[in-house]
Amino acid sequence: MTRVLVIDDEPPILRALRINLAARQYEVSVAADGASGLAAVASERPDVVILDLGLPDMDGTEVIRGVRGWSATPIIVLSAAGQESQKVAALDAGADDYVTKPFGMDELLARLRAAVRRASPAPDEPVVVTPAFTVDLAAKRVTAAGRDVRLTPTEWQLLEILVRHSGRLVSQRQLLAEVWGPQYETEANYLRVYMAHLRRKLEPDPARPRYLLTEPGMGYRFTPAGPAAGAGASARRESSPALGAQSLPGEDCSS
């Protein structure tokens, strides 16, 4: 079920959108100001955001910039007629589309469906194969030696980001912001714990990882073919944390 977050300070609009979207099998949550909207994006991870530009505590473009600092979630802007400059500013800030008030529900739903389609993985690139395991991004499934590998939701999020940036360095701050939210950007120990979990489940030799590599002080890199000769030493030097002693948000790390 597609998750939609509506950020608007007008109760009639919130009520109308909640009823109409829920009737069409969308999972709907609402926020009445920018601060609570930003918090909801981080905690609820919606598939798409519908955002009013005129909020009581901040301009809608500030919300867009706050989301775009760590997330690519599609954003559809609601704007009043005659606010051409605001619409341009919102699109420049990172909004994906806009609807002018008063709007028809059919138009909004069409733009919502289009935003979700654009954000979906392309059908011709969902499967990444390594010599040790296979990642199916569309099915959200990992297999090794012909068997499913059970990952927790947080482990999957972390792996998915690395796989989608295959071969490229992904910074610690980016991973922390996208998986746990921007308020956790300095909690590098969370990454060490979960990377240790992923390596135990996916690497042939977790102490000498070939596919999930550490760049000390910078971030992590997924290499589907394994590292080149001489590479991977930095990954081997990262010590595994005491997994049972961590208290991390979101789920039990012992799974």
Side-chain angles (χ1 to χ4, degrees):
M1 184 179 290
T2 301
R3 301 183 304 276
V4 180
L5 170 64
V6 182
I7 307 175
D8 197 303
D9 65 329
E10 298 183 48
I13 289 182
L14 288 178
R15 184 167 55 252
L17 288 177
R18 186 196 287 273
I19 292 171
N20 280 278
L21 292 174
R24 291 165 173 83
Q25 305 305 307
Y26 289 96
E27 181 180 326
V28 187
S29 57
V30 299
D33 57 55
S36 58
L38 284 169
V41 173
S43 62
E44 298 176 17
R45 304 305 172 95
D47 297 302
V48 70
V49 174
I50 298 174
L51 171 68
D52 182 28
L53 290 180
L55 298 172
D57 57 339
M58 66 177 73
D59 189 83
T61 56
E62 295 181 58
V63 177
I64 297 169
R65 293 190 186 97
V67 173
R68 284 292 171 262
W70 63 278
S71 173
T73 301
I75 300 173
I76 299 174
V77 164
L78 303 180
S79 63
Q83 293 182 326
E84 295 301 319
S85 61
Q86 287 189 329
K87 286 189 288 191
V88 170
L91 292 170
D92 285 342
D96 297 89
D97 204 347
Y98 67 87
V99 177
T100 301
K101 295 179 180 179
F103 55 86
M105 188 57 60
D106 288 341
E107 178 189 4
L108 178 61
L109 288 169
R111 293 180 183 274
L112 182 61
R113 291 191 296 269
V116 171
R117 281 197 305 271
R118 289 194 297 268
S120 299
D124 59 346
E125 55 179 5
V127 179
V128 177
V129 180
T130 78
F133 57 90
T134 298
V135 181
D136 187 332
L137 294 170
K140 297 185 181 296
R141 181 185 183 195
V142 181
T143 56
R147 297 183 177 182
D148 286 338
V149 178
R150 180 182 177 274
L151 299 182
T152 67
T154 300
E155 289 166 355
W156 169 258
Q157 280 185 279
L158 182 57
L159 179 64
E160 181 182 24
I161 294 168
L162 291 170
V163 169
R164 289 191 183 280
H165 294 79
S166 181
R168 300 190 297 243
L169 174 69
V170 184
S171 71
Q172 293 181 0
R173 291 177 66 88
Q174 179 181 345
L175 287 168
L176 286 162
E178 290 197 31
V179 176
W180 284 278
Q183 67 270 36
Y184 293 97
E185 285 184 352
T186 61
E187 304 292 343
N189 195 49
Y190 293 178
L191 287 175
R192 288 193 289 271
V193 171
Y194 277 95
M195 287 301 296
H197 277 280
L198 283 174
R199 286 168 175 157
R200 285 208 329 265
K201 294 180 178 182
L202 301 178
E203 293 279 0
D205 183 355
R208 293 176 174 80
R210 295 184 54 82
Y211 309 105
L212 301 169
L213 307 181
T214 303
E215 300 284 346
M218 298 175 64
Y220 296 86
R221 190 189 307 269
F222 170 69
T223 57
S234 62
R236 291 196 294 269
R237 284 198 297 268
E238 182 181 59
S239 60
S240 296
L243 300 178
Q246 305 300 322
S247 178
L248 306 185
E251 67 192 17
D252 182 359
C253 288
S254 62
S255 59

